[in-house]
Amino acid sequence: QHPHPAPATRTTPDRHVGLAASGRHRAGMGRPADSRTEAQAEAGGEAKRFKSMQAEAKSDEEFRNYTDSDRQAIVEKTYKEMHINQTVDFVKSRHDKWFKFDHGEYTMFDIIEKLDELIDDSDPDSSLPNSIHDFQTAERIRAAHPDKDWFHLVGLLHDVGKVIALWGEPQWACVGDTYPVGCKYSEHIVFADQFKECKDSDDPRYNTEYGMYKKGCGVNNLLMSFGHDEYMFQMLKHNGAKLPAEGLAVVRFHSFYPWHDKGAYTHLMAPGDEELLKWVKEFNKFDLYSKSDHVPDIKALRPYYEGLLEKYGLAGKLKW
């Protein structure tokens, strides 16, 4: 049995900069997030500062505000670059670049700590570092599904693929909602009007309802816009993760909001996809609505999640 430390708030280091300010760190994994003493953290008044950064308590309807959030300008800019540039050819080029997994060997916690340097430019709901959100999500799942430890681990890992933004990939090819390329863009994609500037919108191979796909081809056979979801899914497979298919689907499709939130692209679903959709929807409740939670005590929680990494074949150095 793995230890089950109770969630608790803690003070947190102040290494939470956006991508522009991070200098796109490419060398070395940086200082571990918990390397400072609690006394130093308290002296710095960081708990108070993080509290002020957290989202105010919101109703469900207030999340995913793409109209007039405090972060509207950077969010809309990120999506515009994504929607113009994420063509079929671009996505294939990212597969060629990233799926060799030759960018280094690091432990999962090396990368989670690295994410203290990243704030997601596509997120209107939170400006907290992604490492904090990972633990918030995992702990909410753990409280609701105490018997499904694979689901707890998926909560921790779901956004870890965003590390590619710190290795030089632009945020518009790392973060944000995902969607299939190679077929007509759904009106349910956020900022869908931006697609008129994408060259694939004028390509007859790609601008019809089915495009390059067949009816019922299955979500696992879609070429998704490139980002942290697909990268992390492929990384876990490459490293031999022992997670169930439902867990891998959550990693791969949790940002596919037009599908799991709006019901788009159902004409491309195959038998078995409904079960995957069920788990992606269940996960979304904890992913989205964790963004106004307290900051968890990561140091206290770490042994439990290290045990899960061991159980599911992801302990030690992994290829990224």
Side-chain angles (χ1 to χ4, degrees):
Q1 296 292 322
H2 304 302
H4 289 68
T9 56
R10 73 182 290 261
T11 53
T12 311
D14 60 354
R15 299 173 67 229
H16 56 276
V17 296
L19 183 59
S22 73
R24 297 185 186 273
H25 296 270
R26 293 174 183 166
M29 294 313 300
R31 182 181 59 192
D34 60 357
S35 64
R36 298 178 63 190
T37 66
E38 292 295 326
Q40 286 175 312
E42 289 170 4
E46 289 161 349
K48 180 178 180 181
R49 184 145 66 93
F50 261 86
K51 184 176 180 180
S52 71
M53 287 177 61
Q54 293 181 72
E56 296 293 333
K58 296 182 179 183
S59 67
D60 291 358
E61 293 76 18
E62 290 179 290
F63 284 92
R64 291 180 58 80
N65 172 7
Y66 292 101
T67 304
D68 57 1
S69 77
D70 292 342
R71 310 188 75 232
Q72 183 69 22
I74 187 63
V75 170
E76 190 165 347
K77 178 178 183 291
T78 301
Y79 273 104
K80 184 169 185 177
E81 292 174 326
M82 177 197 304
H83 292 163
I84 292 173
N85 293 302
Q86 288 248 17
T87 62
V88 169
D89 289 342
F90 174 82
V91 171
K92 290 179 178 179
S93 76
R94 297 303 88 186
H95 288 198
D96 291 341
K97 175 180 179 179
W98 288 106
F99 295 167
K100 296 181 176 69
F101 300 103
D102 57 359
H103 287 78
E105 295 189 10
Y106 307 104
T107 70
M108 195 66 71
F109 271 97
D110 286 337
I111 302 298
I112 290 171
E113 290 163 0
K114 186 70 174 168
L115 289 176
D116 280 343
E117 300 170 13
L118 179 67
I119 293 173
D120 185 335
D121 285 346
S122 72
D123 190 348
D125 298 315
S126 178
S127 58
L128 283 174
N130 269 262
S131 62
I132 303 298
H133 170 62
D134 292 342
F135 276 94
Q136 288 175 325
T137 305
E139 285 297 286
R140 289 199 78 188
I141 293 172
R142 185 177 167 194
H145 295 279
D147 59 328
K148 294 181 173 61
D149 61 2
W150 63 266
F151 205 12
H152 312 167
L153 186 58
V154 166
L156 182 69
L157 303 183
H158 74 285
D159 275 349
V160 176
K162 291 180 182 179
V163 71
I164 62 177
L166 300 175
W167 289 336
E169 196 66 26
Q171 284 220 27
W172 55 262
C174 302
V175 301
D177 291 4
T178 58
Y179 49 88
V181 297
C183 63
K184 183 179 179 180
Y185 301 112
S186 169
E187 63 182 6
H188 295 298
I189 301 172
V190 296
F191 304 116
D193 61 307
Q194 296 171 341
F195 285 111
K196 63 180 180 288
E197 298 183 56
C198 178
K199 70 174 186 177
D200 281 2
S201 293
D202 297 321
D203 192 322
R205 295 174 297 172
Y206 306 139
N207 63 6
T208 62
E209 182 180 19
Y210 289 97
M212 64 185 192
Y213 306 110
K214 295 182 182 297
K215 183 177 181 178
C217 63
V219 293
N220 283 314
N221 291 311
L222 300 178
L223 184 65
M224 300 297 294
S225 57
F226 187 73
H228 69 281
D229 303 53
E230 187 69 23
Y231 172 76
M232 196 63 190
F233 167 75
Q234 297 291 348
M235 179 271 175
L236 291 171
K237 287 180 57 181
H238 183 79
N239 284 279
K242 299 174 183 177
L243 291 165
E246 296 87 348
L248 292 172
V250 167
V251 173
R252 192 177 199 180
F253 298 120
H254 69 272
S255 299
F256 190 6
Y257 274 86
W259 178 54
H260 67 71
D261 186 50
K262 300 299 184 182
Y265 299 105
T266 55
H267 58 291
L268 299 175
M269 291 173 64
D273 286 352
E274 284 287 351
E275 181 67 13
L276 302 182
L277 178 59
K278 180 186 80 172
W279 282 102
V280 176
K281 282 178 170 287
E282 179 66 9
F283 172 81
N284 180 245
K285 295 186 298 186
F286 307 103
D287 181 23
L288 182 59
Y289 305 127
S290 70
K291 293 177 182 179
S292 59
D293 286 359
H294 67 265
V295 177
D297 186 342
I298 294 175
K299 185 175 182 180
L301 294 171
R302 181 166 171 160
Y304 173 68
Y305 289 98
E306 286 180 332
L308 295 187
L309 289 169
E310 181 76 35
K311 178 178 179 178
Y312 289 101
L314 294 167
K317 298 283 187 180
L318 304 168
K319 293 183 178 181
W320 297 82

